[in-house]
Amino acid sequence: QVQLVESGGGLVQPGGSLRLSCLASGFTVDYTTIAWFRQVPGKEREGVSCISNQNGNTVSADSVKGRFTISRDNAKNTVYLQMSSLKPEDTAVYYCAAGLFTRCRWAATDYRYWGQGTQVTVSS
């Protein structure tokens, strides 16, 4: 059974850091493209960062480039999102998603498997 479980969210002050984890089961992360999305109420789900199964290439949205880093630990079957220099506008529910394709995509509807989400709140 394919499952994705996110963890690591919470409340952090502006300028702070958090690391989100996405533990996968039922498949191996190094053979699957994994992306992090985020969503705030009333808005569409937004792609944040992605790591492809094709050479592990990574890509991030302009809004987080230089602040967020996606990585994976094949031994732990886990994908991480290291977030630094957090801003209030980063506040959202963060989801990891798995797609059965070789290159990163930003369309949420392309991803077949989703975690339950973890809340990140950036506030003083």
Side-chain angles (χ1 to χ4, degrees):
Q1 181 180 1
V2 173
Q3 191 173 16
L4 297 169
V5 178
E6 302 99 333
S7 61
L11 174 64
V12 63
Q13 291 187 343
S17 299
L18 278 177
R19 188 178 77 160
L20 305 183
S21 300
C22 174
L23 174 63
S25 59
F27 67 95
T28 55
V29 295
D30 55 339
Y31 285 98
T32 310
T33 293
I34 305 289
W36 285 95
F37 286 79
R38 65 187 181 186
Q39 190 170 27
V40 297
K43 291 192 174 182
E44 291 188 355
R45 204 161 285 191
E46 172 193 20
V48 175
S49 293
C50 178
I51 183 165
S52 72
N53 70 349
Q54 189 180 51
N55 300 321
N57 290 332
T58 63
V59 61
S60 292
D62 289 343
S63 58
V64 305
K65 204 167 289 184
R67 300 188 299 120
F68 290 12
T69 302
I70 188 170
S71 63
R72 69 185 180 208
D73 184 330
N74 295 339
K76 295 182 178 180
N77 215 34
T78 299
V79 173
Y80 302 99
L81 184 68
Q82 178 67 49
M83 307 185 294
S84 59
S85 301
L86 283 161
K87 305 174 181 179
E89 51 264 43
D90 295 318
T91 296
V93 177
Y94 283 71
Y95 301 88
C96 65
L100 304 178
F101 36 80
T102 57
R103 296 186 178 184
C104 286
R105 302 179 186 181
W106 289 129
T109 52
D110 287 347
Y111 289 80
R112 182 171 181 179
Y113 302 105
W114 290 84
Q116 81 289 351
T118 185
Q119 176 71 46
V120 171
T121 302
V122 184
S123 175
S124 55

